[in-house]
Amino acid sequence: MANTFKVVTKAGVTSADVIYTVASSTTTVVLGIMIGNTTTGQITATVSLGSDTSNRAGANDEANQTVELVTTARIPVGGTLELLAGNKVVMETTDALSLTATGSADIALSIMEIT
C-alpha cells in the first residue's frame, strides 16, 4: 500500500461543485479543508460528503448517505473557514466531496490517498 499526500484546489466556486472524487481501489483520508471568501461581501458555504457505500455486515448494517459537514457557514470578507481542525474524514472509492457557495469561494483540501 502506498500513501500519497496531495493538495486539491479549486478557485472561484459559485454554486454546487464536486471538488474531489475518490478513485477506484483507493481510500482517502481528508486531513483538512479550507474555504476562502474572494468576494467583497459575506458569503455562505456548504460542504457535502456524498457516499454510496452499500450496507455492511454486522452491527453497522446501514448504507451510507450524502451528509453535510457544514451547512451555510458564514465566511466574512477576506475570511477563511477551516474545517476538521485536527479531525479527519475517511472517504471510500467513489465518495465525493462537494462545495456550494453563495459567492466566489476558493477551496483547498489536504488529503492522503491510500492505494
Side-chain angles (χ1 to χ4, degrees):
M1 285 188 162
N3 296 337
T4 307
F5 290 94
K6 295 183 177 183
V7 63
V8 177
T9 62
K10 185 142 192 185
V13 177
T14 58
S15 59
D17 201 347
V18 174
I19 306 303
Y20 176 78
T21 303
V22 181
S24 64
S25 301
T26 302
T27 298
T28 297
V29 179
V30 181
L31 305 169
I33 303 171
M34 296 184 77
I35 305 165
N37 179 352
T38 60
T39 70
T40 58
Q42 177 178 282
I43 65 169
T44 62
T46 298
V47 176
S48 301
L49 173 61
S51 181
D52 59 1
T53 304
S54 61
N55 292 31
R56 295 174 166 92
N60 185 26
D61 189 22
E62 182 104 14
N64 286 349
Q65 301 174 6
T66 297
V67 296
E68 292 181 350
L69 302 180
V70 65
T71 306
T72 53
R74 294 181 184 142
I75 306 173
V77 175
T80 301
L81 173 64
E82 181 181 356
L83 299 180
L84 303 182
N87 296 300
K88 290 148 191 71
V89 172
V90 175
M91 297 174 66
E92 300 174 87
T93 299
T94 72
D95 289 356
L97 193 98
S98 302
L99 171 64
T100 302
T102 59
S104 184
D106 291 353
I107 185 168
L109 306 177
S110 294
I111 63 171
M112 180 180 65
E113 290 182 333
I114 304 167
T115 55

